[in-house]
Structure formats: structure tokens, C-alpha cells
Amino acid sequence: APGKERKRTGSEAWEVRIYNDGMNTREFVARCLVQITGLSEITAYQTMMQAHQNGVAVVGRYVYEIAEMYHNALKKNGIVCDLVPVDEEK
């Protein structure tokens, strides 16, 4: 089988996800999302509530450099999050 080459340049192939951590207040998480990722307050609130209710929420899909920057900034603020490659072969 041919090795799957992943094109990382220019494709929005990374998801930043946040997890419900039980330590941060919901307001704090929503504020961090607004300040770091530029989400609107409404979207940030919905994302935070999704994490609160389901344990995890996708913040957004970005090119790797941006996703990594958001991920690191969220982590610095004590928010439990991860960065996952998205398979774009639908």
C-alpha cells in the first residue's frame, strides 16, 4: 500500500479540542477561547458548554501553525486541550 502523504501546508487539517476539566470556571474557559482563538463570545460560550456537557468540544479546524499556537496558548492558561490531525478523505 502506498504511504499516505499528509499535506500539511495550506490545508485546514488540524482540530483543536478542549476538555471539561472541572478546575476552570466556565466563564474563564469561554474568555480564553475569545481572547486566544478570536471566537465570538456566543460561539465560545457554545463550545465551552459542549465541553461541559459532553466532556470534549472542537474549538475549530486550522492549518497546523495556527492550531499549534492556539493549543499552546490554551494550555498555558491551564485549559485541558489537544491537537488532532483531521482526515480529510471523505
Side-chain angles (χ1 to χ4, degrees), residues 15-75:
E15 269 180 3
V16 176
R17 301 188 299 194
I18 60 167
Y19 292 86
N20 189 29
D21 58 39
M23 288 163 325
N24 296 304
T25 66
R26 290 184 279 183
E27 290 76 17
F28 176 76
V29 173
R31 195 165 62 240
C32 284
L33 289 174
V34 170
Q35 289 171 347
I36 291 165
T37 69
L39 289 180
S40 70
E41 290 190 12
I42 291 167
T43 308
Y45 181 81
Q46 289 167 338
T47 304
M48 171 277 296
M49 283 308 291
Q50 202 186 345
H52 181 69
Q53 288 159 353
N54 305 324
V56 62
V58 174
V59 175
R61 220 171 245 211
Y62 312 99
V63 297
Y64 182 74
E65 289 75 17
I66 306 277
E68 186 184 39
M69 188 175 76
Y70 289 166
H71 173 253
N72 292 342
L74 288 166
K75 241 163 79 170

Side-chain angles (χ1 to χ4, degrees), residues 3-9 11 13-14 85-88:
K4 269 181 25 193
E5 282 293 309
R6 232 205 196 100
K7 292 204 301 290
R8 297 232 163 111
T9 49
S11 68
W14 292 81
V86 176
D87 252 332
E88 290 186 325

